Amino acid sequence: MSPDGRPAGGDRWTQAPQFLRAEQTRGPLPADTDVVIVGGGLAGTALAYNLAGEGIEVLLLERSELNREASGTNAGSFHFQIAIHQFTERDASGSHDRLLREVRLLLEAARLWDALEDELDANLGIHRTGGLMVAETPEELQLLHDKQSIEAEAGLETLVLEGDELRRFAPYLAPDLPGATYCPVEGHANPFLAGPTFALRAVERGAVVRTGVEVTAIDPGFVVRTSAGEVRARRVVNAAGAWAGELAALSGIVLPIRAEGLHVNVTEPRKKVLEPLVQHIGRRLTLKQAASGTFIIGGGWPSRAEAPPARYSTIWESAAGNAAVAVRVMPSLADVRVVRMWTGVWAATDDLQPVLGESVALPGYFVCMAPTGFTLGPLVARRLAANIARGVPLPDEYAPDRKGVPWIERM
Ligand SMILES: Cc1cc2nc3c(=O)[nH]c(=O)nc-3n(C[C@H](O)[C@H](O)[C@H](O)COP(=O)(O)OP(=O)(O)OC[C@H]3O[C@@H](n4cnc5c(N)ncnc54)[C@H](O)[C@@H]3O)c2cc1C
């Protein structure tokens, strides 16, 4: 352990973070390779790192710079507790077993993040602050109890705090909130560090990363056509996030992933009072206080789509609505000023499951995508690498062509 109680790890806590230098991501494309990954977000960079670790020749292509889209514009929260949309947005049949599987996946992601700073020998800004999910009504409190029993069965530690117990534990919350679940392993990491660190380590393992290279067509075989020339590849992975559907269409594949714009508010700094991540079981809210004292308030409020290359723009109703929910939950925020906002675009699917694995319709064509993809990105990338390299099976429910859901249909 280091003197401040952190695990051993050399100078990683004090040194400036190390990233790829620009010249390491420029240069000619190889004529051929085994795997081409399209997309330099967390999914693509973590996959490149894991594939290179499996001894596979890999080329990652990013049209812009690494980590500029969802992976560098997210709120960095670890979402391990069952969220409201997991209860409500799909049919109820079999929901108990489905939720058990989903929580087990999240638990595996929690364990992976636990070991990641040591594995990558880098500071990823991981803070296990714990996470509270609050209820505002008796019905929501019942939902918290229901979800807690499933989480316990799956092996995720959460506990329901009610009344005075909650007020003692979290005096900053509105005193009339009837209850909350507390999950000790929740927290956050730094989105500016995770993807770029994976990219650096991938290159150290032999992966080739090229930025400023847009994939414009993928012909069967595969011939990957780009703004910087052609590459022959045995296999292709679509890790294009919100643009995965557009990319799949280049190969004649329909991949109904929705691009959704999201909004985040940031406040002026205040004395540190809030340690855990705070979410709401019934309304859109994630709330945390950074080490600098600023509050970061998000949770899925929309931003407005703009034509590329413009970034999505902010919406007043989202800024105000998001802030209002935060103040309802933590009244002392009422006089704290929002000083900036940002937007990002994430890939959403109707069943909120990852889309992970090889397309049956187009063998050799893989997809690597997880909604809640900051939490799950490193895990789905590791699992897909093991599948590509060693044939380790992936769950059927993530399959790009999964039965009963027209995720991918050959056109
Ligand atoms: C505002 C916001 C807040 C969020 N908060 C959280 C959170 O707190 N916790 C959490 O777990 N998740 C959160 N998410 C979701 C999470 O950020 C994403 O699920 C995750 O980052 C997706 O990573 P990705 O690599 O799949 O996609 P991206 O990071 O979007 O990467 C895809 C890349 O593909 C590139 N690309 C696309 N098309 C092409 C092409 N034709 N050629 C070359 N390159 C191409 C793009 O330029 C982009 O860089 C949030 C998302 C947003 C937007």
Side-chain angles (χ1 to χ4, degrees):
M1 298 283 267
S2 69
D4 64 355
R6 286 192 181 270
D11 295 328
R12 84 170 79 127
W13 309 114
T14 49
Q15 271 181 355
Q18 293 185 313
F19 300 131
L20 288 173
R21 297 185 311 280
E23 62 270 23
Q24 289 176 283
T25 67
R26 305 289 194 254
L29 301 183
D32 51 61
T33 190
D34 184 346
V35 177
V36 164
I37 300 170
V38 188
L42 184 57
T45 54
L47 181 63
Y49 165 79
N50 282 287
L51 282 175
E54 297 274 2
I56 289 189
E57 188 183 38
V58 57
L59 168 67
L60 182 149
L61 301 175
E62 164 57 50
R63 66 182 169 196
S64 163
E65 297 298 333
L66 298 173
N67 214 48
R68 286 284 170 88
E69 297 295 347
S71 300
T73 58
N74 66 67
S77 308
F78 295 143
H79 295 295
F80 298 133
Q81 300 190 57
I82 295 171
I84 184 65
H85 53 255
Q86 289 171 285
F87 271 126
T88 56
E89 289 204 0
R90 285 171 279 164
D91 76 24
S93 64
S95 65
H96 174 266
D97 289 350
R98 170 178 57 77
L99 287 167
L100 266 185
R101 286 194 301 277
E102 290 178 14
V103 177
R104 286 185 181 130
L105 181 79
L106 292 164
L107 200 53
E108 198 182 332
R111 291 186 183 127
L112 190 160
W113 276 104
D114 266 343
L116 202 53
E117 288 183 325
D118 281 342
E119 180 179 336
L120 298 177
D121 190 21
N123 179 359
L124 303 177
I126 297 175
H127 294 281
R128 296 292 193 187
T129 56
L132 284 162
M133 188 173 288
V134 304
E136 221 177 306
T137 65
E139 295 74 25
E140 288 174 358
L141 182 59
Q142 184 55 49
L143 268 183
L144 291 185
H145 280 284
D146 294 347
K147 91 176 184 62
Q148 193 276 331
S149 72
I150 295 171
E151 287 160 350
E153 197 179 337
L156 178 70
E157 185 186 353
T158 50
L159 56 148
V160 181
L161 303 168
E162 291 184 45
D164 286 344
E165 199 179 9
L166 178 62
R167 283 184 277 281
R168 274 197 303 276
F169 186 80
Y172 40 80
L173 292 179
D176 61 332
L177 293 175
T181 41
Y182 180 69
C183 173
V185 295
E186 280 188 328
H188 58 270
N190 187 336
F192 294 143
L193 299 177
T197 302
F198 270 118
L200 175 69
R201 299 292 180 239
V203 168
E204 287 170 357
R205 287 177 157 189
V208 177
V209 172
R210 292 287 176 264
T211 57
V213 178
E214 178 161 17
V215 172
T216 52
I218 301 177
D219 298 340
F222 292 88
V223 179
V224 180
R225 299 184 194 284
T226 82
S227 55
E230 284 177 18
V231 184
R232 291 195 164 274
R234 212 155 66 82
R235 299 173 278 194
V236 170
V237 183
N238 179 339
W243 300 272
E246 284 174 25
L247 185 74
L250 298 178
S251 304
I253 290 173
V254 177
L255 182 62
I257 287 177
R258 291 192 311 278
E260 283 187 3
L262 298 181
H263 177 107
V264 181
N265 283 336
V266 184
T267 73
E268 62 186 340
R270 286 292 168 94
K271 186 167 166 274
K272 183 90 174 154
V273 287
L274 178 63
E275 193 57 19
L277 166 71
V278 178
Q279 299 177 78
H280 196 304
I281 187 66
R283 301 169 76 180
R284 293 178 179 201
L285 178 69
T286 62
L287 166 65
K288 53 185 174 285
Q289 191 175 16
S292 64
T294 60
F295 292 91
I296 299 168
I297 305 169
W301 290 77
S303 59
R304 184 178 296 114
E306 303 289 351
R311 311 292 296 187
Y312 279 36
S313 54
T314 53
I315 301 176
W316 163 247
E317 287 77 4
S318 285
N322 200 354
V325 178
V327 171
R328 166 68 186 95
V329 167
M330 188 173 165
S332 61
L333 289 176
D335 72 342
V336 181
R337 284 173 300 183
V338 170
V339 292
R340 68 188 173 90
M341 302 154 197
W342 84 77
T343 65
V345 193
W346 76 310
T349 55
D350 284 337
D351 68 359
L352 299 158
Q353 299 277 18
V355 181
L356 193 68
E358 186 171 13
S359 166
V360 173
L362 190 56
Y365 191 101
F366 295 78
V367 182
C368 187
M369 198 287 284
T372 325
F374 188 70
T375 305
L376 286 174
L379 177 63
V380 296
R382 177 178 294 183
R383 287 228 189 154
L384 184 61
N387 174 263
I388 291 174
R390 290 177 275 122
V392 178
L394 293 163
D396 290 344
E397 62 253 44
Y398 307 156
D401 318 83
R402 51 199 176 236
K403 212 165 177 241
V405 187
W407 291 109
I408 292 189
E409 292 163 359
R410 281 300 264 148
M411 288 199 300

